[in-house]
Structure formats: structure tokens, C-alpha cells
Amino acid sequence: MTKAPTRIQKRNRAAILSAGLDVFSQYGFRGTTLDQIAEAAGLSKPNLLYYFSSKEAIHTALLERLLENWLDPLKALDAAGDPVQEIMAYAQRKLALSKDFPRESRLFANEILQGAPRIEYILHTDLKQLVDEKTTVIKGWADKGKIAPVDPYHLIFSIWALTQHYADFDVQVQAVMPGSDPYAGAATYLDHVISRILQP
Amino acid sequence: MTKAPTRIQKRNRAAILSAGLDVFSQYGFRGTTLDQIAEAAGLSKPNLLYYFSSKEAIHTALLERLLENWLDPLKALDAAGDPVQEIMAYAQRKLALSKDFPRESRLFANEILQGAPRIEYILHTDLKQLVDEKTTVIKGWADKGKIAPVDPYHLIFSIWALTQHYADFDVQVQAVMPGSDPYAGAATYLDHVISRILQP
DNA sequence: TCTTGGTTTGACCAAACGGTCAAAAGAACG
DNA sequence: CGTTCTTTTGACCGTTTGGTCAAACCAAGA
């Protein structure tokens, strides 16, 4: 039976995870140092290691927390709903995730870029299973003529790409469209795109 | 007057750049070590530094070589051509770049994720200028009713996102669609998507 | 208050890091 | 062959890195 965390434990663990998310999402696992995280968290390095046993433990905790919700938008795609509405709503949920959790998106992107050594098995099990299930649903819609006959895998890839781009390539987006909030325009554009793609 | 490079110089410089591209594109600048590059290139570490004065010199050389061709597909978008054809052809050029130079795409992605410290000025000058120019062209097409009235910035972002995704998230794509070559399906899907988006 | 358990720190360590250097080894060419 | 220039290497250096540890510090309840 593990003890309930103290007030200080809660505060410091949260600070470390937030600081770790800042740094890991920018530099990846190998490019991140404990000193960077410690400074961002406002703690000393040995104090970090009092709360997490290693650099990898922080990274793992972040990845696990991320994966808890990462697949939710796709899971919520309902085979019984209206096809175009369902896919549009899925894309909007994914876009909202990019807007509200850009660091998590970049953490995921970094992990994939590095070959996904720590989450590869999830990609091949949970993710693949989920995608297979939902592509079957989408293919069913296409076969019934409810949506245009698109490749459901590439449809899902395109939704991932379109939505995550605004978080992962934020620096580039900001450079090209300075000042404005890209997410408002992205939401409108996304609706346009998806309704056009799927029009039977 | 710089001397012509010897046969050995050509071979070893090329080996180092290729090895550096392998490692930098996976782990980013900070996450990459000279030993990794040296081993991948089949040279000793001091021998590396005989050809490139520092880790940063290798990275800079790679980024410069990348940027030479990175913007070419968009530059070739012709205001005098057929609007839908031009944009579709642009997307296909960009997709071909992802297929033929996936490591370069990942190197770029890594640089952006890390805040683009070494190429930020290019994003704000060359890239922004080019995008502004081409969005003006696209907006002109939209105003004349030649294509649907889409936001040209988000249109370009979507082409970047869709095409680079197959290189940058290769591991994930392979996990979900094992065995198959995603680029064939992507090319077909891309044509479908763009023609649908732009139909006036 | 005192005691107990949670928290913080400075000093330290071995390994890995980017980089240097002088000397050895090898190519090129008359 | 001998000479000159290029290439390669092993030994080394100072710094950074992930991590340890004992000791000091502090919060909180009895």
C-alpha cells in the first residue's frame, strides 16, 4: 500500500513533469539534460532525483500520461453516427488537442522521430488495432456510398498530419503568419477540407 | 583560392555528411554525439574533426545543403499555369521530396521542433517572402473563381503537413500499414484531396 | 517541546562528451 | 627510390552528464 503524497510532493512532482515536458518536447530524450529540467522546475538536480529515480523515469511518466488521452479522439469516432459529421468532429477534437496540449504533441513527435523506441509496441498493438477498427468503419461508410470512396488509412493520416502540424511546426507557422492565432483559421479550413473530401 | 578536393576528401566528406544526416535527423543536434557520427561513417572521431572543424560545422553543412532545395517545389508554382493543376503538381513534388529525402525531412522537422534556432531567420525572410508571394497568387485564383475560396496559408500548411507526415512519422505509418509502400497510396489520395478541396 | 519522517543540499563520482595535438602512416609524384 | 603533402591515430584534456550519498534542514503531529 503506497502512502498518499504530501502537499510538497504533489507540487514538486507537478513542477518536474511540467518542466520535463517543456524540455523533452523541444530537445527529445537524448538532447535533454537533468540540469535543464531542474532549472526549469526551480529545483536542484539531486532534489529532482528524490522525486524521480532517473531521467528516464520522468520521460516515461510523461509518455504514459500522454498516451492515456492521445487516442481518445479516435476512439470516440462512432460507427452509428452520421459519417461526415463524425469524421469532422474527430478532426476538430484532434485539433483542439493540438491547441490545448502543444507540448504533448511535440513530445510525441520527438519520440516518433527518434524511432519510437519506447512506444513502438503501442504503435503496433493499441494504435494499430484502433486504426484497423476505425478504418473498417470508414470503409463501411464508403462502401455504402455515405462518403466518397477514399482510402481510410490515408484519411486518418491526413487528419493526424493536418492537426498536429499546428503544434509541432508552430515556430514555422508563426513565422509565416505572425501575430494571428492559426487555430481559428485552421478549424474553419479543416471543416471545409473534410466536407469536400468526403462529399459522396 | 581553395584547392580541389582529393578523391579521399570527397569520399570521406560524403560519408560524414551521410552519417551525420542519419544521426542528426533522428536525435537532433543536442541528442547527437560525434562518436555516433564517427561510427556510422566508419571513421575515428579525430578523423571526423580533420574534415569538419566541429559538430556544429557538420550540422550547418547539412542544413545548408537541405535549404538549397527545400523551397524549390513551392518556387516552381506558376501563376500562369492552370490553378488546380499547379497546386496538385506542387503537392506531388513535395511528396516526392519526402519519399526521396526522408532523412532531410526529419532533419528539418527536428530543427523546427527545437525552435529553429539555426534557421529562424530564413523562416522569417526567404520562407515568409516566398509564401506571401504564392499565397497572393492563390488568392488571385480564388478571387477570380478559378478555385474554391480557401485560405491560401492554410492550404499551403496542409500540403506541407500531408506530404512531410509520411517521412517524419514514417515509423508510425509503417506500424499502422505494415509492409505496403505508403507513398503510392499517398499520391493517389493527395490528388483526390486537392482536387476536391479546390473544386470551385 | 521534542521527535519523527519528509525534504533539500553540497560534495562527490565515473562515464561520456566535444575537441586538441604530436606523431605515425599512407598516398602521390618526380 | 626519396620527398612532400595528405590522412589517420592514440593519448590526452577540460567540461558536462546522469547519478549517489551522507548530512543538514524543515514541517508537523504527539
Side-chain angles (χ1 to χ4, degrees):
Chain A
M1 168 146 185
T2 55
K3 287 185 183 171
T6 68
R7 172 180 52 92
I8 296 176
Q9 274 169 9
K10 271 190 220 165
R11 170 170 48 88
N12 283 347
R13 278 180 186 271
I16 292 169
L17 287 178
S18 178
L21 185 54
D22 274 342
V23 186
F24 279 131
S25 67
Q26 231 190 320
Y27 298 107
F29 181 76
R30 299 221 27 189
T32 294
T33 72
L34 284 176
D35 292 283
Q36 279 179 294
I37 300 176
E39 194 190 332
L43 299 172
S44 67
K45 189 169 60 172
N47 206 4
L48 266 201
L49 293 162
Y50 172 72
Y51 290 101
F52 289 88
S53 60
S54 67
K55 175 181 168 183
E56 185 145 15
I58 304 174
H59 193 251
T60 301
L62 285 169
L63 273 186
E64 277 172 4
R65 205 180 62 176
L66 163 66
L67 289 173
E68 274 173 29
N69 309 300
W70 192 244
L71 302 181
D72 286 356
L74 183 53
K75 276 183 191 148
L77 187 105
D78 183 6
D82 173 70
V84 176
Q85 291 293 322
E86 281 296 322
I87 294 171
M88 278 176 57
Y90 164 52
Q92 292 293 340
R93 284 194 296 273
K94 201 83 177 55
L95 184 66
L97 219 60
S98 277
K99 184 184 182 183
D100 296 334
F101 303 99
R103 298 180 302 172
E104 280 83 351
S105 183
R106 286 191 285 267
L107 181 73
F108 185 81
N110 244 313
E111 187 64 14
I112 299 289
L113 273 175
Q114 299 187 12
R118 293 157 227 277
I119 60 170
E120 204 180 13
Y121 77 101
I122 288 185
L123 302 185
H124 282 93
T125 56
D126 297 36
L127 178 69
K128 170 147 180 53
Q129 191 186 346
L130 177 62
V131 170
D132 283 346
E133 178 194 329
K134 298 304 184 181
T135 48
T136 305
V137 170
I138 294 170
K139 186 165 185 313
W141 288 338
D143 288 345
K144 281 188 211 143
K146 303 249 188 184
I147 59 171
V150 295
D151 183 316
Y153 286 96
H154 290 283
L155 175 63
I156 288 179
F157 291 156
S158 68
I159 290 171
W160 290 349
L162 278 168
T163 54
Q164 291 173 17
H165 185 86
Y166 291 96
D168 301 344
F169 288 76
D170 171 61
V171 175
Q172 188 179 223
V173 171
Q174 290 294 338
V176 171
M177 292 180 73
S180 66
D181 166 34
Y183 286 101
T188 306
Y189 179 76
L190 207 54
D191 273 356
H192 172 88
V193 165
I194 291 182
S195 71
R196 288 294 197 104
I197 295 177
L198 297 181
Q199 216 73 260
Chain B
M1 165 139 188
T2 56
K3 289 185 184 171
T6 68
R7 172 181 53 91
I8 296 176
Q9 274 169 7
K10 271 191 222 167
R11 169 170 49 86
N12 283 347
R13 278 179 185 271
I16 292 169
L17 287 178
S18 178
L21 185 54
D22 273 343
V23 187
F24 279 131
S25 66
Q26 231 190 320
Y27 298 107
F29 181 75
R30 298 223 26 195
T32 293
T33 72
L34 284 176
D35 292 283
Q36 279 179 295
I37 300 176
E39 195 191 331
L43 299 173
S44 66
K45 188 168 61 171
N47 205 5
L48 266 201
L49 293 162
Y50 172 73
Y51 291 101
F52 289 87
S53 59
S54 67
K55 175 181 169 183
E56 186 145 14
I58 303 175
H59 193 251
T60 301
L62 285 168
L63 272 186
E64 277 172 3
R65 205 181 60 174
L66 164 66
L67 290 173
E68 274 173 29
N69 308 300
W70 193 243
L71 302 181
D72 286 355
L74 183 52
K75 276 183 191 149
L77 187 104
D78 183 5
D82 173 70
V84 175
Q85 290 294 323
E86 281 296 323
I87 294 171
M88 278 177 57
Y90 164 52
Q92 293 294 340
R93 283 194 297 273
K94 202 83 177 54
L95 184 66
L97 219 60
S98 277
K99 184 183 181 183
D100 297 333
F101 303 98
R103 298 180 301 171
E104 281 82 350
S105 183
R106 287 191 284 269
L107 180 72
F108 186 81
N110 243 313
E111 187 64 14
I112 299 290
L113 272 175
Q114 299 188 12
R118 293 156 227 279
I119 61 169
E120 204 180 13
Y121 77 101
I122 289 185
L123 302 185
H124 281 92
T125 55
D126 297 36
L127 177 69
K128 170 144 180 55
Q129 190 187 345
L130 177 62
V131 171
D132 282 346
E133 178 193 328
K134 298 304 184 182
T135 48
T136 305
V137 170
I138 294 170
K139 186 163 185 312
W141 288 338
D143 289 345
K144 280 189 212 143
K146 303 247 187 187
I147 59 172
V150 295
D151 183 315
Y153 286 97
H154 290 283
L155 174 64
I156 288 179
F157 292 155
S158 69
I159 290 171
W160 290 348
L162 279 168
T163 54
Q164 291 173 17
H165 185 85
Y166 291 96
D168 301 345
F169 288 75
D170 171 62
V171 175
Q172 188 179 223
V173 170
Q174 291 293 338
V176 171
M177 292 180 72
S180 66
D181 166 34
Y183 286 101
T188 306
Y189 179 76
L190 207 55
D191 272 356
H192 172 87
V193 165
I194 291 182
S195 71
R196 288 294 196 105
I197 295 176
L198 297 180
Q199 217 73 260

